[in-house]
Amino acid sequence: MTSIHVAHAGADYDVIVGDLADARPLLERLAKGRRLPLISDERVFGLYGRVLADVASPDPVLVPEGEAAKDWRTLAHITDRLAAMDAKRGTPIIALGGGSVGDVAGLAASLFKRGCPIVHVPTTLLSQADSAIGGKTAIDASGQKNLAGSFHHPLLVLADPTLLDTLDARQLRSGLAEVVKYGLIDDPAFFDWCETNTPQLLAGDREARRAVIEHCVRAKARFVTADPDDTNGTRALLNFGHTFAHAIEGSAGNSILHGEAVAIGMALAFDFSCELGLCPAADASRVRAQLQAANLPTTISDARLVVSGEGLMNAMLADKKADADGPTLVLTQGIGRVFVAKGVDPDRLSDFLGRRA
Ligand SMILES: NC(=O)c1ccc[n+]([C@@H]2O[C@H](COP(=O)([O-])OP(=O)(O)OC[C@H]3O[C@@H](n4cnc5c(N)ncnc54)[C@H](O)[C@@H]3O)[C@@H](O)[C@H]2O)c1
Ligand SMILES: [Zn+2]
């Protein structure tokens, strides 16, 4: 087991990467003899609920699978069930599942009785490497991705890479997009590592998976510690590819997975940066080749989406990261050299999107 500390003023926590059964004593200590409320989806609970059977309530709160869980109805369902269980304010809630379960359960925990602690037990590559760390919670609303959310940092995160053995290949590849993102942001050596090790990661090599999860958790911890509440611009770099991705997800509904939209978004961010003369074309080609090697989409047509450039532009302007001068984008000067670009020229962006959609 590896323990990675996330330092965050007043609310530090550990991310334990290793066998879930070995980490159970940590949960037992938090449970103090109580059975903790557990939020999961049917598939994940069916696969792994038994591992937590000693500490969790035998009657889990089950939510729909995937992005469909991130809505007001599910949020209300969770708080109703917590109320029916008479969960106390200090009772830790366990979220067992992928990023969608983590996002809606985290939001419910932050609201219920003005905030209950949450323990994340992420079960996808994306959630183990990224979303379970950092305290961002959200649901989608009014057609916009992550419109309603909060910051609610976890009490503990237990990431067991062996749980990924049952994850289907498409979900795994989707998680790989967020993994590659960490190389593209500020870590070219890690991008090189991803280029070499992607076949092993996809083929189920447990050592490669453990290494990649630990690397990404450490990277995310670094960003979160530098900017816990996403206010000083450091954490904004983690949104590389995401303004494009959120617009694509908003337009395409649940036919595209988050990581797939991020892969397209990162490829578009490289291409747009090249068009603006910021980034060498060779880097954009290398990134596209790496994403394609992982069988991820890199263009809107790859994902067979029917979206218009204008629709994407409107969605980008409506994104939380847009201000009066135009959208704020994370652009790049090359692999490992992303930066926040404020007030991007909307006409130039609109023209670019019109040619890509
Ligand atoms: N909060 C954050 O900081 C943050 C960061 C990145 C992404 N996200 C969010 O995370 C969500 C995507 O999460 P995701 O990629 O983990 O997918 P997901 O949670 O949307 O869906 C995962 C799917 O895989 C299944 N599954 C999960 N674990 C499994 C396992 N071990 N074996 C078999 N099946 C399993 C689930 O039943 C579900 O169908 C998006 O909504 C995205 O916006 C949040
Ligand atoms: Zn993401």
Side-chain angles (χ1 to χ4, degrees):
M1 282 200 319
T2 306
S3 176
I4 299 165
H5 191 67
V6 185
H8 165 232
D12 291 14
Y13 53 96
D14 291 317
V15 181
I16 310 292
V17 182
D19 205 282
L20 188 53
D22 294 343
R24 218 168 36 192
L26 290 172
L27 270 180
E28 281 162 7
R29 216 169 299 150
L30 293 176
K32 298 182 185 142
R34 296 166 294 196
R35 290 297 191 94
L36 303 180
L38 176 88
I39 302 169
S40 190
D41 68 40
E42 202 170 324
R43 181 198 301 257
V44 174
F45 185 73
L47 287 165
Y48 301 112
R50 68 187 140 55
V51 188
L52 301 172
D54 295 345
V55 283
S57 156
D59 192 15
V61 183
L62 296 181
V63 302
E65 279 186 30
E67 194 72 26
K70 292 177 55 172
D71 67 4
W72 291 112
R73 260 171 65 155
T74 306
L75 181 66
H77 172 66
I78 296 173
T79 53
D80 284 348
R81 286 289 316 279
L82 292 173
M85 285 178 205
D86 196 22
K88 304 290 180 234
R89 188 174 177 195
T91 307
I93 294 167
I94 303 174
L96 172 71
S100 296
V101 168
D103 276 7
V104 69
L107 182 55
S110 80
L111 296 172
F112 190 74
K113 300 194 173 172
R114 299 202 180 88
C116 290
I118 186 148
V119 174
H120 285 296
V121 183
T123 63
T124 60
L125 177 58
L126 183 143
S127 54
Q128 294 187 356
D130 189 333
S131 67
I133 305 105
K136 281 193 180 179
T137 84
I139 56 169
D140 309 328
S142 305
Q144 286 182 51
K145 176 86 178 168
N146 295 339
L147 184 71
S150 66
F151 280 95
H152 189 55
H153 292 272
L155 192 58
L156 177 68
V157 181
L158 303 176
D160 180 348
T162 66
L163 305 194
L164 305 184
D165 290 353
T166 52
L167 194 62
D168 73 43
R170 186 178 172 203
Q171 291 286 349
L172 196 69
R173 291 194 299 265
S174 168
L176 202 58
E178 296 270 21
V179 163
V180 168
K181 181 188 79 178
Y182 284 97
L184 298 180
I185 292 174
D186 68 347
D187 192 349
F190 181 61
F191 182 79
D192 296 348
W193 188 95
C194 291
E195 281 185 321
T196 310
N197 289 283
T198 290
Q200 290 89 314
L201 280 171
L202 292 176
D205 180 325
R206 283 192 173 173
E207 182 47 32
R209 288 181 179 177
R210 184 202 54 75
V212 89
I213 290 161
E214 288 186 12
H215 189 92
C216 292
V217 169
R218 286 201 169 88
K220 182 130 187 198
R222 193 162 33 85
F223 281 98
V224 170
T225 299
D227 186 10
D229 298 323
D230 203 4
T231 46
N232 69 23
T234 309
R235 218 171 144 167
L237 301 178
L238 294 172
N239 288 327
F240 182 58
H242 278 62
T243 306
F244 291 104
H246 288 168
I248 292 168
E249 287 178 278
S251 310
N254 293 350
S255 65
I256 189 161
L257 299 179
H258 177 67
E260 293 171 339
V262 169
I264 298 173
M266 295 191 301
L268 290 176
F270 262 89
D271 288 348
F272 189 51
S273 300
C274 289
E275 268 199 27
L276 296 177
L278 297 166
C279 166
D283 280 22
S285 306
R286 210 178 136 198
V287 170
R288 176 160 277 118
Q290 162 59 17
L291 295 170
Q292 285 170 344
N295 224 338
L296 281 162
T298 58
T299 63
I300 290 166
S301 56
D302 278 351
R304 296 193 195 85
L305 301 179
V306 187
V307 291
S308 67
E310 197 187 350
L312 286 180
M313 185 66 199
N314 289 339
M316 287 175 83
L317 288 171
D319 191 85
K320 298 183 293 305
K321 292 174 280 296
D323 63 27
D325 300 329
T328 295
L329 286 180
V330 184
L331 296 178
T332 183
Q333 294 177 309
I335 291 168
R337 300 179 61 202
V338 307
F339 65 97
V340 175
K342 284 186 185 286
V344 171
D345 180 352
D347 293 337
R348 194 113 193 226
L349 181 60
S350 191
D351 174 57
F352 170 80
L353 289 171
R355 283 179 280 117
R356 302 291 161 144

